[in-house]
Structure formats: C-alpha cells, structure tokens
Amino acid sequence: MGDKHYPGHRYFTMYHGTTMDKAMKILNEGFIPSADGMLGRGVYLSRSFEKASRYPVYRQAGEQLAVLKLSVRVGKVKRIDYQGHPMQKTWHDHGYDTAWVPANCGMVPSGLEEDCVYEPWRIKVQQVLSADQTAAGGGHFPENETLNDRCGGILKNMCRNFHIGLTPCPVYPGHRVYTMYHGTTLSAALQIKRYGFRRSTGGMLGAGVYVSRSFHKASHYPLYKQPGQRLAVLKLSVSVGKVKKINRQGHPLQKTWHLSGYDTAWVPPNCGMVPSGLEEDCVWEPRRIRVLEVIPR
C-alpha cells in the first residue's frame, strides 16, 4: 500500500531499544507508558529495527543494551504526519489506540517511522536481543535456545527475590500470551464468540473470567447442564498481563488481587486449592481474551 497508509493488518512486528536491565523488567512486568513525548502519553516503538537500535539516547558507560522484538496489536491508528497536527498529543481522546508517524514526513530527524501505543496490553514481547547479538547480525536466538536459557541467571535472581518477597513470581512462564480453555454450553460459547466474555461476580478467586491452560479441566464444565444440552470448549488466546500466584486457601490476596494491581490470578497445579489438581486462572479484564476456536463436544 506504499507509505501513504498504515497497512491494514491488526498485528505488526515492532522494536523498542533500551538497556538489558530494563528489557528484563519489561519482560517480567510489561511496559509502563511514558508520561509525554512527541506524540504525548504512550509506549514508543518503531517498525524500524534500525531506529530502535539507536535507543536509549542517554546511557551509562559499560551499560549492556538490548532491543525488544515485539508483536503489537495496533487497533485504530491515527496518522500524525506533521508537527503541530491538531491531534498530535490528543489522538487517544478521539478514540485511537495507536499514533503513527510515517517515514520521511519531516517529524523524525532520521526519517524513520515511529509509533506510540496507548495501552501496554497491546504489546507482546517476542524476543530480547542483546547488543552483542544484534551487532553480530544474529537477530534471533538459536532454535534450541529460549529466553530462559539466555537470561537464566537473571531469571534465577528474580526467583530468589520472589521467594524472599521482593518481586512478583516469574515462574508463571514469561511469555505474555497463552493458549487457554473455557468449558460451557455450545449456545453460550457462540454468544461469547460473538460478544465476548462477561466477568463473573464471584468465585474461588473473586470476580473475573475463569479459564485454564488445561483442556482436561475446562472440558469438565459447566458443572450443571440440562439433559441433551450441547456442550463446547472455547480455545482462547489470553494476554495475562501481571500475574499473581495464589497457592493456598486463605491467601491474603485470594479475592483482592486486582485491587493490588494484578491482571490475572493463577492457581498452580497440585497446590491443594483445586480438587482435580489442575491449574486455574482468573482474568480480570475480558478484553484480554480472544476466542480462537469453538470446539463442540
């Protein structure tokens, strides 16, 4: 479509340059929007790896740098193609999710494109690329190497800090999006696919949408069904956000985890809270859940 239009697909690969320490923090906790900038509040990214690799602009001597490779769900995009644009810093107030500065429009000295995403949940980290790796032209981890392998020492320190109460638990695997399942009736499944989930008013983990990474667990629901009623399991893509581990009955945040800044509560398997011993999750915001497939059974 050339450089006159932001291409119409919903997901794009983008990049964000930062220090390795901050990259690991983003991997664990997600992005925090900047308070201001050329396009106002948001998370600043670019589809240009070259542009991202020039950041951070200010760095300490000897500081290890990194580029985050991201998958971004852009939503509704506003093109901002000149300084002083009437929506340059207010685009989100007009219903847009992302602001886009196209290449060679005169706003960015390098001539490279820039994006500002208002909501961090739209951004999923795919890879952390070290400066040494990118300088060598690698650009990707070897196929048999994972983030845990490359960053194992850092993750081990995070685990240690969790166990002494300093940081959230990183053991819930570090990718931001998971395949999960939800069991219900076929008619309800079709309604959910069309209109989305509604948050329950209560449950073991309080209000939220209850899902599980275990298909076996989801297939046991609904518990109460009418004779002859057709059932289904919804296969879902879930952006979990910040996760709180709830591993015992009477946990102080068992039903108030969202009030403490968490997006998902996670009951790990075999912790004694679920009779089946299978894991369970409760997601606060239904918008974090996308239906992939309705599986009749």
Side-chain angles (χ1 to χ4, degrees):
M1 296 180 70
D3 61 2
K4 292 186 178 180
H5 301 281
Y6 197 102
H9 303 292
R10 303 292 291 176
Y11 287 86
F12 292 87
T13 297
M14 296 189 188
Y15 302 93
H16 178 84
T18 185
T19 66
M20 182 60 79
D21 286 344
K22 288 182 179 177
M24 291 292 90
K25 187 176 178 65
I26 291 167
L27 180 66
N28 185 41
E29 300 177 9
F31 279 93
I32 297 174
S34 67
D36 199 5
M38 179 179 69
L39 297 168
R41 180 190 182 278
V43 180
Y44 283 78
L45 316 167
S46 179
R47 283 182 285 162
S48 166
F49 178 89
E50 180 187 350
K51 186 175 191 301
S53 67
R54 299 177 182 183
Y55 288 81
V57 174
Y58 306 105
R59 60 197 76 169
Q60 300 296 320
E63 198 167 33
Q64 189 178 5
L65 305 182
V67 174
L68 289 160
K69 181 180 179 183
L70 311 164
S71 174
V72 183
R73 181 178 179 180
V74 294
K76 189 176 179 183
V77 177
K78 181 61 184 175
R79 175 182 173 132
I80 307 292
D81 54 3
Y82 64 91
Q83 289 289 354
H85 190 290
M87 293 189 197
Q88 184 166 338
K89 294 196 177 189
T90 61
W91 45 272
H92 181 69
D93 296 335
H94 294 269
Y96 294 93
D97 305 300
T98 298
W100 169 49
V101 176
N104 302 311
C105 70
M107 290 187 70
V108 179
S110 66
L112 300 171
E113 76 103 56
E114 187 161 337
D115 303 82
C116 183
V117 179
Y118 196 81
E119 297 168 306
W121 67 265
R122 292 181 173 276
I123 306 167
K124 171 190 171 186
V125 176
Q126 292 184 320
Q127 288 179 282
V128 179
L129 308 176
S130 71
D132 291 341
Q133 182 187 19
T134 55
H140 298 280
F141 291 159
E143 289 185 3
N144 61 348
E145 184 178 14
T146 66
L147 284 171
N148 281 8
D149 295 328
R150 180 169 285 269
C151 308
I154 296 171
L155 291 178
K156 286 175 184 176
N157 287 337
M158 287 161 53
C159 288
R160 176 185 58 78
N161 289 342
F162 162 72
H163 288 300
I164 61 176
L166 295 181
T167 61
C169 179
V171 179
Y172 193 98
H175 303 291
R176 304 294 291 178
V177 178
Y178 293 88
T179 298
M180 297 190 187
Y181 302 92
H182 177 85
T184 186
T185 64
L186 182 57
S187 61
L190 295 175
Q191 287 289 100
I192 291 168
K193 183 178 181 182
R194 184 174 182 182
Y195 299 110
F197 279 94
R198 291 183 181 178
R199 191 185 300 140
S200 72
T201 56
M204 179 179 69
L205 297 169
V209 179
Y210 284 77
V211 294
S212 178
R213 282 181 286 167
S214 167
F215 179 89
H216 180 66
K217 186 176 191 304
S219 66
H220 283 76
Y221 288 81
L223 295 176
Y224 307 104
K225 58 202 83 170
Q226 300 297 320
Q229 197 169 36
R230 296 187 65 189
L231 306 181
V233 172
L234 287 160
K235 182 179 180 181
L236 312 166
S237 174
V238 183
S239 176
V240 294
K242 189 176 179 183
V243 178
K244 181 61 183 176
K245 178 177 179 177
I246 307 292
N247 58 359
R248 59 183 171 85
Q249 290 290 354
H251 189 289
L253 297 185
Q254 184 167 340
K255 296 195 177 189
T256 61
W257 43 273
H258 180 66
L259 299 177
S260 298
Y262 294 93
D263 304 301
T264 299
W266 168 49
V267 176
N270 303 310
C271 70
M273 291 188 70
V274 179
S276 65
L278 300 172
E279 75 107 55
E280 187 162 336
D281 304 81
C282 184
V283 181
W284 178 257
E285 296 173 304
R287 70 179 184 181
R288 291 185 171 275
I289 306 171
R290 181 167 60 96
V291 175
L292 299 176
E293 186 180 356
V294 177
I295 306 170
R297 61 184 183 89

